[in-house]
Amino acid sequence: MAQHLDKDRIRRSFDRAAATYDAHARVQERLATELVARADGEPERILELGCGTGTLTALLRSRFPEARIVAVDFAEEMAARTRARVPDAEVIVADVEQLDLEEPFDLTISAATIQWLADPAATLARLAPAGRLLLATFGPRTFWQLRATGIEPTLHLRSAAEWEALLPLEVESEELDVVYPGARAFLRTLKRTGTANAGRGDPGALARALRLYDERFAVPGGVVATYELLFLASPAP
Ligand SMILES: C[S@@+](CC[C@H](N)C(=O)[O-])C[C@H]1O[C@@H](n2cnc3c(N)ncnc32)[C@H](O)[C@@H]1O
């Protein structure tokens, strides 16, 4: 079922984060690296959804030097960075949920983006009716510590079981604990990677929640935040 998303706000938030994204997107970089490691065969035509600043695009270009790569992102500032980083990729600025591409792709791939789609099943059925699908996203255990302090992320993150019910894909899940210098630094990282709504709302309540976070989730070197990484793949041919 489609969920309601404020796409304009999401897009603006990623546009604003374009200049700071690479310095803070360590986890997203890891998703992209792990995803490319799962790509097999010799795809001639690759479609990438939500290319951002081009981290995954550049890895794809190195791994498949001969492939035609079409990379899509609706945030112009993000897309411009992919264009500069991988000049021979075809970069399209568009909402992937509004896009129609006539061309068939051997591989459709996406890192840290499908959680931002209102109707990922319909979008993937339209854009990738055939070929291999490799997707990486975040599961609902992500930032459980934040929720425990009273900060409720507005984006619904689907579980492995929900994704399996939605799409004919195999899903693998792994947890990653990341240490940040403190709760405020953690929240800053979310903002600088474009995660909409991080730190919005009543400032007093936010300050209290962050103090609680610093107390409850202290570890050597700062505080811990858990990411649940989900890897979705169509069965290898
Ligand atoms: C967290 S970033 C991930 C970027 C890149 N794949 C990476 O791994 O670093 C998510 C990207 O998806 C883009 N995005 C989100 N929803 C989108 C949509 N409906 N259509 C096109 N791009 C979208 C955002 O603009 C952003 O650049």
Side-chain angles (χ1 to χ4, degrees):
M1 202 182 63
Q3 65 170 321
H4 174 73
L5 294 174
D6 185 340
K7 294 274 187 95
D8 274 346
R9 200 157 97 196
I10 295 168
R11 187 180 41 71
R12 282 198 305 273
S13 172
F14 280 113
D15 265 331
R16 273 196 303 273
T20 50
Y21 185 87
D22 288 342
H24 295 272
R26 293 284 159 262
V27 177
Q28 291 84 344
E29 197 179 314
R30 175 173 169 155
L31 279 187
T33 306
E34 286 200 31
L35 206 52
V36 165
R38 288 159 202 251
D40 38 25
E42 287 300 327
E44 289 176 12
R45 291 171 304 261
I46 301 174
L47 173 63
E48 184 191 347
L49 308 177
C51 57
T53 58
T55 307
L56 175 59
T57 327
L59 293 170
L60 287 166
R61 174 46 77 225
S62 306
R63 176 86 194 266
F64 303 113
E66 304 299 327
R68 167 173 151 72
I69 299 177
V70 176
V72 188
D73 203 291
F74 68 177
E76 174 67 59
E77 294 292 325
M78 287 285 201
R81 282 171 166 77
T82 298
R83 251 186 228 115
R85 199 158 164 184
V86 190
D88 66 353
E90 184 186 328
V91 180
I92 301 174
V93 178
D95 180 344
V96 297
E97 299 200 273
Q98 304 294 328
L99 188 67
D100 270 317
L101 295 169
E102 298 301 319
E103 185 179 349
F105 291 91
D106 308 304
L107 171 64
T108 299
I109 191 162
S110 179
T113 298
I114 55 168
Q115 70 276 11
W116 296 109
L117 303 184
D119 194 346
T123 300
L124 291 165
R126 194 181 67 259
L127 292 177
R132 182 119 154 95
L133 258 183
L134 284 177
L135 312 166
T137 186
F138 299 106
R141 287 268 301 158
T142 302
F143 306 154
W144 66 264
Q145 296 92 344
L146 210 50
R147 285 193 301 277
T149 62
I151 302 176
E152 197 57 47
T154 51
L155 186 66
H156 171 69
L157 294 175
R158 293 179 177 85
S159 64
E162 283 176 283
W163 281 112
E164 278 167 345
L166 216 54
L167 293 159
L169 299 174
E170 290 161 3
V171 184
E172 281 174 46
S173 156
E174 66 188 53
E175 284 199 11
L176 174 70
D177 282 343
V178 178
V179 176
Y180 294 94
R184 276 208 183 273
F186 166 44
L187 225 57
R188 247 192 327 269
T189 297
L190 298 188
K191 279 191 184 168
R192 290 179 181 170
T193 52
T195 300
N197 296 335
R200 288 173 65 92
D202 169 13
L206 179 65
R208 282 191 298 282
L210 293 180
R211 265 198 307 278
L212 188 60
Y213 199 117
D214 281 328
E215 284 163 22
R216 277 189 63 187
F217 300 111
V219 293
V223 295
V224 67
T226 298
Y227 291 77
E228 183 184 4
L229 312 183
L230 296 182
F231 295 93
L232 291 67
S234 53

